[in-house]
Each structure stands twice: as structure tokens, then as C-alpha cells.
């Protein structure tokens, strides 16, 4: 039993900060316990295995996709920890993992642990339906696999290809924990039975809290995701009154299908403000509003400009959310995305949230953003898009949600860009450890490595000469958290400090020639203007070693940075001096990086974002592209998923996408499915066109073998094997083999066990499979076969 205190001072809470929890506790406590049990009893009891697994599952839940949670461990300590886990799991059996349901462990954890530590998997799969897009008639389905996988989805036994498919990587200390497959699959307009087959495995479908083993009616899926009225009987009186007041005709008419835009509570000058202007000028039929504190500086500015404003936190703010079609913001904090709590208002809210982003995402923000319901996720750069929507990252978002459009605010940024300003912007970021410095002990800030680095640089003779001799305007734009320590900088009068600049930050970028920062993402704002950044990363070893809660993304400073990276003050001065001496000329390498990074360099970002948002409410009747179909066909061929190969390559032929080997590939698929006549015709067509080859000879032999095996069965037994679907797809599975073995269908078994694809029988079941083959051969008096299968049983 664990004791947990409200003050978070229990061992359960503080133990996470102790390296011994990942070393001695496992080596002496867990592994030592197992070894002692083996020495005394020759075995480790199930109870002992479960006790240790219960302890470990909390660590997995804490660390998976959150490596920074143990950044206090050195690389050596992490490697030892992983090695100890591998040793411990040699004592934890398959059945223990399979039957473990404590501490919130579920199928996801079991698939991961079995694959990672036992090199095996289940003989079945579970696919989870957890969302439905009523407008596009698409359902979201996901499942987990430790190895590469190929899904096959059907509606009334006909394949329905995913419009969007992604492999999400779940990580454990930089290594694979498990892979999550996420697919958005279109449904038909008519009622149908939806089914899923994962790598030829029997797959149950989880929806509405139930598991459906033989497919699920699409009407049930659609009804499950229809909005349901909340029972407000026990809601606070204040909430009940608000729900009633907001549902009146005044609000419903004023905010019908509204597009609500905002940047932050009391601050504008970001993409939402710029998108508002585009909508106002180019889409006058849209019912648009901008939400901000009316009393703020930006609120007063936008009011003077004639913006249609809603006061943040007002009654109108809350009422507008109930009737809005879209909520669009450059931030995704809770007070924007969930201003009205779902527990009280979920049934009244139907808006789709568009995340415009405050800046280019370069680091891994998946832990935060995966908690958000984002319908449209705006990106600006090619690698940024791939890092979020592509495969093998930790984001849940797919090509359905993520769009590559550019940021609306960049339209204005590019329109009014200026060069030859003789101005340098200085914008350092913040460090979390500085939050521990009390304002009453401000001297500690100046003594920190951060304070020393920046204060010394800004007071250097070179910086002074840069201003007074070279004539450069130096502007210091402090992070909000720095403002309380500004006195410690004793800033020279030749450096302008921008605490609350009167100008837009975009104007400051436009009127700067170079940015001096450490890790700030504002470097991307300068990059799109093709202006360089100088990075002063005096503490890079500390930052990137894991001492901070920092999840590194795709951006590698050494190969991607838009200017020189400096680790010492001397290097900063040398880099600045070189840039000044070259009259601000940009190194061609850095210029190429800037140009290649962004997807667009025009001023049409707002238009593209508008189109992407509009598309959220448009039905998608388009078939998947030829490129995607070809990709799906190749995936099926690589995994030899014969039913998927048959459907996808036939569809390629229907679309007139000719491939040299398509008839030969289809012949192999038809043969594997028991359609020998169709296979033979396709093979003959291929040979007539390309001639006889070693591969075609092999396919011919496989067809002959399959035909000979099927001819061993009478018509009744053949029908059991090649059911009403007229192929072997749904019958040649390990579960069916077990059923026929129980029913003693020896004639069918002798054929089926030879035709079944053994790649899809998990390793731990192969011994029993060959035992079935042995018994079948013995029952049919096939002695040589029986002896062969006996040797296979012994091998496994």
C-alpha cells in the first residue's frame, strides 16, 4: 500500500527525484527478489511478478513520452536503468502481463511490454474508434503495435481506404515503446458493417464502451457520437441561469455561425488580428468578432480601427462561444480553448478550434498540444509540418488536422519589410531555474550563469563601440520574466530597453537587420525576412544535456540555424565583428537555409488559412489520390496482406495506373486467397506480355499446389474453407484453426495448415500450431508428415 499526502511530500511523490529509484530499488529490491525466489523455490510466483509489475507500471506511465521527467539521471544511469528493466522482465511471464489490469494499465501498455521485453504479441488486435466527423462522414480509428503494421478496413466486406493514416511513435527514454496507428476512414452514405483487420489478425472494434468481434454497424457508431444533452439538474444555480440566458434569440441571432478570433486576453498583434483584417476586407459575408480586453492598449487600438470587438470575460464572450462556428487563436491556453467548462456546457458548444500558432514550432510540444482538440493546426514550414503531421513523431495530429499554409501575420511582415536599418535586436529567452530567485534577493540573478553572460556582454567595449562608433541602434527586448530584474543589468544608455514598445513587434523585426538571441523562436520571424540570427548559447551543454524540462524537436542548431552559433562572449564579438565588416552581407549557407525552411514566401497566407478553415465544413467526396493509393498498394505488398493487395492493385488497374508487375502481383494475391482460376488467367496475361521468368514459374507452382490441396476436399468441406466470400481471407486464421481442431475437422485441417500464412501466427503459439499439425497428420495416418511436425514441436 502506498501512502500519498496532499502536500506531495510522500515517498510516492518525492521518490521520483531519487536516482536510487531507478537503480538500487530495481537491482536489489525487484531483481534481487526474483533471484532469491529462483534460488529458494526454482520459480517466481505470479503474485511476486504482479507486485513488481505494479511498481514498474507507474514508472512507465510517468516516463513514456516524457523523458524530461528523469532528466536528473545521467546518460549512464539511464542506460543502466533500461538494462535492469530488461533483466527484470525475463522473470515476468506473458500471462502476468496479459492479466495485469491495475494502476490504469490497459491494452496499450500490454502491447508495448510484450513487444519490447518479450519479443511477442497477441494473436488478436483491438481497434479503438474515438471520434467521428459528421460533416465529412469519417471515423477516427486507432490501434497499437510494436512492429510495423498494415491495417485493412472494410464496409460490407469491401475495402474503404483511409483518407489520412499516421504512425505515432510512443517513446521510452529515446527508444520505441509502442507504435500507435491513427486512421481517418470514410464511411458510406448507407448503413453498413464496418470491420477492421490488422495484419490479418482477428480485430475487435471498441466503440461505445463495448468490443465488437465481427464488425460494427455504422449507424451505431454515428449515433454514439451524436451530441447528447447534459443533465443539468445538479449544476450550480449560476450555471443553470447562464445556460438559460444564453439560449435566447438575441444571442442566437447576433452570434449565429460566428467566427471568433483572438490572440491573447489583453494582447493582439498576432495572426488572429491579421486574419481578422483579411476576413473583414475579403469575406464580408462572414460574421466575425475579435475577443480582447476592451480596456487593454490593444483593445483601445483595435476599437479605434473599427474592429467588431467582444470584451474578454463578458457575458457576450460566453454567449458567443455557444453559437460560434469557429474559434480561431494564435494561442491554445485553457482560457481560450476551454473558457466554458465542458462539464457544464459541452452539449451547447459546437465550434471548431483553429490553432494559428504564436510562432514556428521547433521543439517537441506534443505533451501539451495533444491535450487540445484542434480541428485545424496551422503550420508555416516544411519540416515543422512533417514533425507534427508526419509519421514517427509523438503528436496525435494527422494530415486531416494539420495544414501547411504559412502564418497570417507573415503577410504583413513581408509587405513592409525594410533593410539597411543599422539596427540590432537583442532578445534572450528565460530559464526555469531563475524562477527560484526571490525578488528580494535580486543580486542572485546577476550572479547566475545567465545573468553573468548577458550583463557582461551588454557592458562589453565592443557593444559600446558598435553603437557609438559604428552607429548601430541596439534594442533590448526583455522576456516578461526578466523585467523584474532589469535593474541588475544597469543598462547602458546606448542600449534602448523595450519594456512596452509603442510600435508593433512586427515593425521592430522589419526595422532590424540582425537578431541576437540564445534559443528564441523569434529567429523564425527574422528568417522569413531573410535576416540573420546570431545565437549566444553559453549554456548549451546544460540545456541540451537534459537538466531542463526541454523536449528537443526536429530543429538541430548545428545544421539548421539561420546564423552563427556562439558559446562564448569572445565568439559573439567575433561573429558580430565579421558581420559588420561584411556590411551585413548574409552567408549564402544561412540564406539558403532561410529560403528552404518556409513553404511560402508570398503574402497569401491569410487566404490559404481561410480556405483551410472553410474546408472544415465542406463534405469530402473525393477519392484518395493516385499517389496515396499507390503508397497503400506498396505497403500491402511489402507486408503480403493478400486481400488488401487484391483490392488495391485492382483499383490501380481501374484507374489506368499501369505497373509492369501488377498482373503477376495480383496472380499471387488471388492464389493466396484460393482463387486459382483467376490467378491462372492473370499469370498467363503477364507471361504473354513479359515472357516467362523465374518469378512467374514460382507463382505457377504455387497455383498448382493450392489447387491440388483444395481438390482434396469435397464440396461441403471446401465451402467451409472458402466461405461465402469465395476466398480464404476470413478463414485462414489461427483462431479458425483452433476451432476446426476442436471440432476434429481433420480433412480441412490438413489443407488449411498448409495454406495458412505462418507469419501471422505469433511466436508463442507456433509450438501448439505444429502440435495441431502433428495430431492431424497422425489422425490421417500420414506418418512422415507426423514425424516432421514432431520435430517442429520440439524446436519451438
Amino acid at each position: 500500500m502506498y501512502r500519498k499526502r496532499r502536500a506531495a511530500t510522500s515517498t510516492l511523490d518525492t521518490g521520483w527525484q531519487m536516482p536510487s529509484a531507478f537503480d538500487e530499488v530495481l537491482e536489489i529490491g525487484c531483481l534481487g527478489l526474483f533471484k532469491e525466489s529462483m534460488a529458494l523455490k526454482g520459480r517466481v510466483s505470479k503474485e511476486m511478478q504482479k507486485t513488481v509489475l505494479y511498481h514498474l507500471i507507474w514508472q512507465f506511465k510517468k516516463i513514456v513520452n516524457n523523458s524530461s521527467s528523469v532528466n536528473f539521471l545521467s546518460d549512464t544511469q539511464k542506460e543502466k536503468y533500461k538494462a535492469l528493466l530488461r533483466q527484470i522482465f525475463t522473470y515476468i511471464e506473458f500471462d502476468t502481463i496479459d492479466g495485469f489490469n491495475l494502476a490504469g494499465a490497459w491494452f496499450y501498455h500490454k502491447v508495448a511490454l510484450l513487444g519490447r521485453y518479450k519479443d511477442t504479441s497477441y494473436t488478436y488486435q483491438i481497434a479503438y474508434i474515438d471520434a467521428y466527423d459528421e460533416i465529412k462522414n469519417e471515423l477516427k480509428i486507432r490501434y497499437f503495435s510494436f512492429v510495423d503494421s498494415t491495417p485493412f478496413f472494410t464496409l460490407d466486406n469491401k475495402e474503404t481506404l483511409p483518407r489520412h493514416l499516421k504512425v505515432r511513435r510512443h517513446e521510452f527514454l529515446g527508444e520505441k515503446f509502442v507504435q500507435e496507428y491513427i486512421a481517418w476512414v470514410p464511411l458510406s452514405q448507407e448503413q453498413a458493417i464496418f470491420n477492421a483487420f490488422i495484419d490479418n489478425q482477428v480485430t475487435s472494434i471498441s466503440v461505445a464502451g463495448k468490443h465488437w468481434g465481427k464488425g460494427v454497424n455504422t449507424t451505431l457508431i454515428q449515433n454514439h457520437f451524436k451530441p447528447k444533452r447534459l443533465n443539468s439538474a445538479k449544476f450550480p444555480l449560476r450555471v443553470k441561469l447562464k445556460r438559460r440566458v444564453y439560449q435566447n434569440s438575441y444571442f442566437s441571432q447576433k452570434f449565429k455561425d460566428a467566427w471568433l478570433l483572438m490572440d491573447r486576453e489583453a494582447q493582439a498583434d498576432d495572426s488572429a488580428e491579421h486574419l481578422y483584417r483579411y476576413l473583414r476586407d475579403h469575406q464580408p459575408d462572414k460574421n466575425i468578432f475579435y475577443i480582447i480586453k476592451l480596456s487593454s492598449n490593444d483593445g483601445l487600438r483595435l476599437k479605434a480601427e473599427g474592429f467588431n470587438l467582444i470584451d474578454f470575460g463578458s457575458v457576450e464572450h460566453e454567449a458567443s462561444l455557444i453559437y460560434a462556428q469557429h474559434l480561431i487563436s494564435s494561442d491554445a491556453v485553457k482560457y481560450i480553448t476551454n473558457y466554458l467548462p465542458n462539464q457544464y456546457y459541452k452539449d451547447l458548444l459546437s465550434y471548431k478550434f483553429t490553432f494559428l500558432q504564436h510562432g514556428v514550432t521547433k521543439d517537441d510540444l506534443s505533451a501539451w498540444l495533444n491535450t487540445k482538440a484542434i480541428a485545424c493546426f496551422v503550420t508555416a514550414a516544411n519540416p515543422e509540418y512533417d514533425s507534427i503531421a508526419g509519421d514517427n513523431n509523438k503528436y496525435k495530429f494527422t494530415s486531416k488536422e494539420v495544414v501547411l499554409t504559412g502564418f497570417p501575420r507573415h503577410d504583413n511582415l513581408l509587405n513592409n519589410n525594410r533593410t539597411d536599418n543599422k539596427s540590432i535586436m537583442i532578445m534572450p529567452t528565460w530559464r526555469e531555474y531563475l524562477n527560484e530567485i526571490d525578488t528580494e534577493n535580486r543580486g542572485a540573478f546577476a550572479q547566475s550563469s545567465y545573468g553573468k553572460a548577458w550583463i557582461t556582454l551588454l557592458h562589453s567595449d565592443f557593444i559600446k563601440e558598435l553603437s557609438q562608433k559604428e552607429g548601430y541602434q541596439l534594442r533590448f527586448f526583455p522576456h516578461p520574466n526578466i523585467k523584474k530584474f532589469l535593474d541588475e543589468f544597469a543598462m547602458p544608455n546606448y542600449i534602448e530597453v523595450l519594456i512596452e514598445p509603442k510600435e508593433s513587434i512586427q515593425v521592430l523585426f522589419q526595422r532590424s537587420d540582425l537578431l541576437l538571441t540564445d534559443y528564441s523562436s523569434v529567429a523564425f520571424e527574422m528568417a522569413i525576412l531573410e535576416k540573420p540570427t546570431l545565437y549566444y548559447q553559453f549554456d548549451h551543454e546544460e540545456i541540451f544535456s537534459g537538466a531542463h524540462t526541454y523536449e528537443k524537436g526536429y530543429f538541430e542548431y548545428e545544421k539548421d540555424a539561420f546564423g552563427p552559433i556562439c558559446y562564448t562572449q569572445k565568439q559573439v564579438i567575433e561573429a558580430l565583428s565579421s558581420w559588420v565588416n561584411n556590411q551585413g552581407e548574409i552567408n549564402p549557407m544561412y540564406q539558403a537555409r532561410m529560403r528552404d525552411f518556409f513553404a511560402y514566401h508570398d503574402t497569401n497566407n491569410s487566404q490559404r488559412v481561410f480556405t483551410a478553415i472553410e474546408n472544415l465544413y465542406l463534405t469530402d467526396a473525393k477519392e484518395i489520390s493516385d499517389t496515396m493509393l499507390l503508397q497503400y498498394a506498396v505497403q500491402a505488398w511489402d507486408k503480403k496482406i493478400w486481400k488488401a493487395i487484391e483490392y488495391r492493385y485492382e483499383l490501380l488497374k481501374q484507374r489506368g495506373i499501369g505497373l509492369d508487375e501488377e498482373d503477376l502481383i495480383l496472380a499471387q494475391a488471388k492464389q493466396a486467397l484460393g482463387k486459382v482460376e483467376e490467378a491462372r488467367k492473370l499469370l498467363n496475361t503477364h507471361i504473354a506480355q513479359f515472357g516467362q521468368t523465374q518469378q512467374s514459374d514460382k507463382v505457377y507452382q504455387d497455383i498448382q499446389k493450392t489447387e491440388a490441396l483444395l481438390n482434396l476436399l469435397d464440396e461441403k468441406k471446401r465451402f467451409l474453407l472458402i466461405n461465402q466470400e469465395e476466398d480464404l481471407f476470413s478463414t485462414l486464421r489461427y483462431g479458425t484453426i483452433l476451432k476446426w481442431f476442436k471440432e476434429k475437422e481433420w480433412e480441412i485441417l490438413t489443407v488449411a495448415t498448409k495454406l495458412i500464412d505462418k507469419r501471422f501466427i505469433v511466436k508463442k503459439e507456433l509450438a501448439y500450431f505444429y502440435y495441431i499439425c502433428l495430431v492431424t497428420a497422425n489422425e490421417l495416418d500420414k506418418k512422415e508428415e507426423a514425424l516432421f511436425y514432431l520435430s517442429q514441436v520440439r524446436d519451438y
Side-chain angles (χ1 to χ4, degrees), residues 417-619:
N417 189 26
R418 286 170 48 178
T419 55
D420 300 324
N421 301 285
K422 294 209 77 171
S423 176
I424 297 174
M425 178 85 78
I426 305 168
M427 293 185 69
T429 52
W430 184 244
R431 304 292 184 276
E432 288 297 321
Y433 69 85
L434 295 173
N435 289 328
E436 299 175 8
I437 298 177
D438 196 305
T439 53
E440 295 180 0
N441 185 26
R442 294 180 182 179
F445 173 84
Q447 294 303 311
S448 68
S449 60
Y450 179 89
K452 286 179 180 178
W454 284 107
I455 292 171
T456 305
L457 175 64
L458 296 176
H459 282 266
S460 66
D461 291 339
F462 178 82
I463 293 295
K464 183 177 182 179
E465 291 177 4
L466 200 59
S467 170
Q468 297 184 348
K469 287 188 178 181
E470 299 293 340
Y472 277 89
Q473 183 180 24
L474 305 176
R475 291 174 162 179
F476 182 75
F477 199 130
H479 186 280
N481 291 342
I482 294 179
K483 293 177 182 178
K484 60 188 176 184
F485 297 112
L486 271 178
D487 290 346
E488 300 304 312
F489 282 85
M491 200 68 72
N493 58 12
Y494 47 81
I495 298 177
E496 181 184 1
V497 180
L498 303 171
I499 298 176
E500 290 186 3
K502 296 178 181 178
E503 297 173 305
S504 161
I505 191 170
Q506 288 205 319
V507 173
L508 296 175
F509 292 137
Q510 291 161 345
R511 296 181 182 177
S512 298
D513 296 321
L514 179 138
L515 172 70
L516 173 58
T517 185
D518 41 17
Y519 310 99
S520 176
S521 63
V522 297
F524 296 107
E525 304 301 296
M526 295 291 280
I528 200 165
L529 297 173
E530 295 192 16
K531 296 178 178 180
T533 293
L534 195 159
Y535 303 86
Y536 184 20
Q537 298 182 349
F538 55 89
D539 56 353
H540 70 286
E541 290 184 354
E542 182 183 4
I543 291 292
F544 297 125
S545 69
H548 294 266
T549 54
Y550 167 84
E551 290 287 338
K552 195 172 183 179
Y554 62 90
F555 195 84
E556 299 278 353
Y557 284 96
E558 292 297 334
K559 68 180 182 67
D560 299 322
F562 306 123
I565 303 168
C566 305
Y567 304 118
T568 66
Q569 180 175 307
K570 181 182 177 183
Q571 290 176 338
V572 173
I573 291 172
E574 288 173 351
L576 281 171
S577 179
S578 175
W579 178 73
V580 170
N581 292 337
N582 289 320
Q583 298 180 328
E585 187 175 333
I586 305 173
N587 183 313
M589 177 180 70
Y590 298 133
Q591 192 165 44
R593 287 179 183 177
M594 296 179 203
R595 290 176 177 171
D596 294 343
F597 185 77
F598 291 96
Y600 303 100
H601 295 270
D602 56 28
T603 56
N604 299 319
N605 296 334
S606 293
Q607 179 183 335
R608 284 187 288 268
V609 170
F610 165 72
T611 301
I613 296 173
E614 276 276 271
N615 284 341
L616 295 176
Y617 278 89
L618 298 178
T619 57

Side-chain angles (χ1 to χ4, degrees), residues 714-731:
D714 59 32
E715 186 176 344
K716 182 179 178 181
K717 286 184 169 53
R718 192 167 181 170
F719 178 78
L720 288 174
L721 188 61
I722 304 180
N723 57 19
Q724 61 269 25
E725 296 176 30
E726 299 182 348
D727 64 38
L728 300 168
F729 174 64
S730 61
T731 54

